[in-house]
Amino acid sequence: MLFRSVPIAPGVRPYLLAYPLPNAGAIDDDRGYYSDAAATVTNQNYYLGRVDHNFSTDDSIFFRLVVDNAGSDNPQFNTREVAKTGSRYSTLEQTHIYSPLILGRTHFSFVRTNLRFADIPREDAGFPEFLGKSLGSEADVPGIITITGLTGFGGGTTNPKKHVQNTFQFKEDITWQAGSHAFKFGGQFERFQFNQRSDFYPGGNFTFGSLASFLVSDVTAGNFIRPGSDDIRGWRQSLLGLYLHDDWKLATGFTLNAGLRYEIITSPTEANGKVATVRDLSLANLYSLTEARIDVGEPYFRNPSLKNFAPRVGFAWTPFGSAKTSVRGGAGIFHDQILFNSYGTAGVRMSPFFSVAEVDQASLTAARPGVRIDFPNMFFTQNDLLRANIGSKPQLDGFVWDAQQPTVYKWSLDIEREVIADMTVAAGYSGSRGVHMGRGAINYNTNLYIPAGIGRTNFILLATPDLLNNNFGRMRWRITDANTAYHALRVNVDKRFSRGFQISSSYTWSKTIDDSTTGICNVDYQEGLASQPYATKADRGLSALHVAHNLVING
């Protein structure tokens, strides 16, 4: 083994000494493996209580309360990611019989969900206390040090997170039997309060290109929340739904179902007026946009729900007197409302209320020759550079202003026949079509291709995409342009329990097509982001959820 003297920068020395010695062999002359067996601990406590009371034969009431607390503790290198959830579900419902033909239900519920993620220093691994200190704006977050080729310090760049949702719901339902008609009508009102803390680089993040760069404090980049930013939001939104449904027995063995639902939402407001967006997403505006031209104030997006009339129709038919054969079918329109899950991240990460400062050394040198990123004190000693975006570009995360209403059309047809005693065979078809579904996060500020030459119609893929608007770095948007399609043929064979035996089996042959499997391109589906920001329909194909054949047998 070759020993050599290497100069170590004073600011780096305590962090270098904080590394534990290798205990599982060498990688090369400079690095070794360190093994640490630490368990991930999860727990859950669930409680349910219910009280029922009958005031009379015509009046009854119940109250139900569910308390669900859970958490996990996941050790990392020098930090632990602690996740906690606390959910409360309370329901109060009264049932009143107005007459033998009219039944009423009054329902009130309150739901509170609390989801929290945080990185905290590990106290069991012998790391020095200073590693748990912040290097950025938020004092309760350990700083992050990333070193290519070496395990770094710190947790996640977006922790801590805190999402608290309060939902108040009131519903009134009336059921009325009138001859061959069974009517059901009513309405509901919901009030949503979404309170969030959503950070990005809250404890600061220093990046080094190699171990050698780390030793001499040659920082590649320093990332922080820009001073003056606010990562706390309190979103408020309401939903109103009205419906009418009729089960009409037209003839013996034939029932027609028809209904209409009207459901609208309000455009979200923010408790402290911190609403910002870009309303004009034309390319001409995007590529000339500056922070001074960002639109501030409500509404956050144009409300697409005001015409949300959703009819549904269905039928059930037994064509033969033996009632061994039945035919069922239906079709309907269903609206997917734009609520917090669609705009939560975008709503908090928009200038002028929030921005990150991602300072890379190359850009800083170009703007201020001779100035170096000061590790580990940049946020405190070079705060003026961060405020003025010297050597960095702000990011934008947005939700489309001119939102379209996400809508799903569904239809199905089924035929069922009792072939022998206690055994039925059913075959059916189901289909759905989704339009204006959510898609994200599309980076508009990137040029992936350039022409292969003057007058050429083919293009070259750029290894390092160009910025189309040099005033910003990433410009990510959630939009409502995705489409989905689903078609399935189904066969079921069921034998009811008799003579000590039962069996149930189903086979589905289906095809699922979409432009984007999830609105936020969740990595669970391994689909990545949109590959064509300006031609999103090029991503249309088999869905990440596509399963062509599915056979289930149980007995």
Side-chain angles (χ1 to χ4, degrees):
M1 179 177 291
L2 178 65
F3 293 93
R4 63 186 186 275
S5 177
V6 178
I8 301 173
V12 169
R13 182 177 295 275
Y15 293 92
L16 180 63
L17 295 176
Y19 273 98
L21 294 176
N23 61 7
I27 301 174
D28 52 34
D29 290 342
D30 300 318
R31 300 171 300 156
Y33 291 106
Y34 175 74
S35 178
D36 175 25
T40 297
V41 178
T42 61
N43 61 77
Q44 181 177 19
N45 295 295
Y46 183 89
Y47 309 91
L48 183 148
R50 174 167 171 150
V51 177
D52 291 82
H53 180 70
N54 293 325
F55 294 101
S56 67
T57 56
D58 295 333
D59 275 292
S60 62
I61 194 171
F62 79 82
F63 174 74
R64 181 176 62 237
L65 176 64
V66 175
V67 176
D68 187 1
N69 297 323
S72 68
D73 189 330
N74 185 21
Q76 309 294 320
F77 183 45
N78 72 299
T79 61
R80 296 184 293 130
E81 184 183 59
V82 178
K84 293 183 178 180
T85 63
S87 301
R88 308 290 184 267
Y89 308 89
S90 57
T91 303
L92 180 66
E93 184 174 294
Q94 182 203 20
T95 301
H96 178 71
I97 301 174
Y98 293 94
S99 74
L101 302 178
I102 301 177
L103 174 71
R105 233 180 225 106
T106 302
H107 171 104
F108 175 79
S109 65
F110 170 71
V111 176
R112 180 180 177 88
T113 56
N114 189 336
L115 173 64
R116 292 161 288 167
F117 285 89
D119 293 314
I120 63 175
R122 282 185 62 183
E123 300 175 350
D124 61 329
F127 289 98
E129 185 178 350
F130 74 87
L131 283 181
K133 302 298 183 181
S134 175
L135 302 176
S137 59
E138 308 300 308
D140 60 341
V141 187
I144 300 174
I145 300 173
T146 304
I147 307 166
T148 300
L150 199 66
T151 300
F153 294 115
T157 59
T158 59
N159 283 342
K161 291 187 268 303
K162 187 172 183 179
H163 290 180
V164 179
Q165 175 177 325
N166 298 319
T167 303
F168 304 85
Q169 183 186 71
F170 176 80
K171 293 172 60 178
E172 185 69 33
D173 299 303
I174 300 293
T175 302
W176 174 31
Q177 187 72 42
S180 60
H181 295 270
F183 294 104
K184 189 172 183 180
F185 53 91
Q188 71 181 81
F189 175 80
E190 294 186 61
R191 178 64 173 174
F192 305 102
Q193 298 175 342
F194 308 103
N195 301 309
Q196 66 174 145
R197 173 182 177 180
S198 182
D199 285 302
F200 198 13
Y201 306 129
N205 182 7
F206 288 92
T207 301
F208 296 88
S210 65
L211 174 58
S213 298
F214 172 62
L215 295 178
V216 297
S217 194
D218 183 11
V219 183
T220 302
N223 302 325
F224 308 90
I225 294 177
R226 191 168 70 184
S229 292
D230 181 2
D231 54 14
I232 305 296
R233 296 292 181 273
W235 297 100
R236 305 292 182 261
Q237 200 169 10
S238 299
L239 179 150
L240 174 66
L242 305 171
Y243 75 94
L244 171 64
H245 181 84
D246 180 23
D247 290 329
W248 183 12
K249 191 172 182 179
L250 283 170
T252 301
F254 189 89
T255 300
L256 178 68
N257 320 109
L260 178 66
R261 183 173 182 85
Y262 178 66
E263 185 177 273
I264 60 173
I265 60 170
T266 60
S267 185
T269 61
E270 204 281 321
N272 298 299
K274 294 176 181 176
V275 176
T277 189
V278 177
R279 294 174 181 170
D280 181 4
L281 291 183
S282 66
L283 299 186
N285 185 60
L286 280 178
Y287 299 155
S288 62
L289 186 70
T290 63
E291 285 194 273
R293 286 168 42 203
I294 291 174
D295 300 295
V296 176
E298 300 170 0
Y300 184 50
F301 56 79
R302 184 177 290 156
N303 191 345
S305 72
L306 301 181
K307 297 180 180 179
N308 276 4
F309 292 95
R312 294 97 188 259
V313 64
F315 71 92
W317 178 37
T318 52
F320 308 115
S322 63
K324 291 187 176 183
T325 302
S326 65
V327 183
R328 297 180 180 88
I333 299 175
F334 302 84
H335 295 111
D336 186 11
Q337 299 293 5
I338 300 175
L339 299 174
F340 176 77
N341 61 306
S342 299
Y343 60 79
T345 299
V348 75
R349 293 184 184 165
M350 175 66 73
S351 222
F353 303 114
F354 180 90
S355 182
V356 296
E358 296 181 311
V359 182
D360 68 273
Q361 184 59 59
S363 297
L364 180 59
T365 300
R368 296 281 181 87
V371 176
R372 306 292 301 176
I373 293 176
D374 180 17
F375 173 81
N377 303 309
M378 183 180 193
F379 186 82
F380 308 99
T381 62
Q382 297 173 315
N383 197 272
D384 57 329
L385 300 179
L386 304 179
R387 288 181 181 273
N389 287 321
I390 304 299
S392 69
K393 298 180 187 296
Q395 295 182 358
L396 298 181
D397 274 78
F399 184 80
V400 60
W401 156 256
D402 191 15
Q404 302 298 307
Q405 178 60 56
T407 304
V408 179
Y409 304 87
K410 295 182 180 181
W411 56 90
S412 66
L413 179 66
D414 292 89
I415 301 175
E416 185 176 6
R417 173 71 179 180
E418 185 180 66
V419 291
I420 59 175
D422 300 325
M423 179 175 288
T424 59
V425 176
Y429 162 75
S430 297
S432 69
R433 165 79 169 161
V435 297
H436 307 309
M437 307 304 290
R439 180 212 298 273
I442 296 176
N443 185 6
Y444 282 127
N445 198 24
T446 180
N447 187 18
L448 299 175
Y449 311 97
I450 60 172
I454 298 176
R456 301 285 294 274
T457 57
N458 56 326
F459 293 82
I460 298 174
L461 178 64
L462 298 175
T464 304
D466 294 332
L467 293 178
L468 296 170
N469 185 336
N470 281 312
N471 297 317
F472 296 96
R474 186 180 71 191
M475 299 172 70
R476 297 194 314 180
W477 247 259
R478 282 78 174 163
I479 60 177
T480 54
D481 79 327
N483 294 324
T484 66
Y486 174 77
H487 303 279
L489 293 176
R490 297 171 281 102
V491 177
N492 295 75
V493 178
D494 296 296
K495 182 188 180 302
R496 294 188 295 274
F497 185 80
S498 63
R499 295 183 291 276
F501 175 70
Q502 70 176 22
I503 189 171
S504 177
S505 62
S506 67
Y507 169 71
T508 302
W509 177 33
S510 65
K511 188 172 186 178
T512 308
I513 300 172
D514 63 26
D515 304 330
S516 176
T517 298
T518 67
I520 57 173
C521 296
N522 194 308
V523 295
D524 290 345
Y525 302 121
Q526 298 296 309
E527 70 170 353
L529 303 180
S531 62
Q532 314 260 352
Y534 310 104
T536 53
K537 296 306 176 185
D539 286 325
R540 185 169 179 80
L542 286 179
S543 169
L545 299 176
H546 169 70
V547 178
H549 304 280
N550 184 35
L551 175 65
V552 178
I553 301 175
N554 59 72

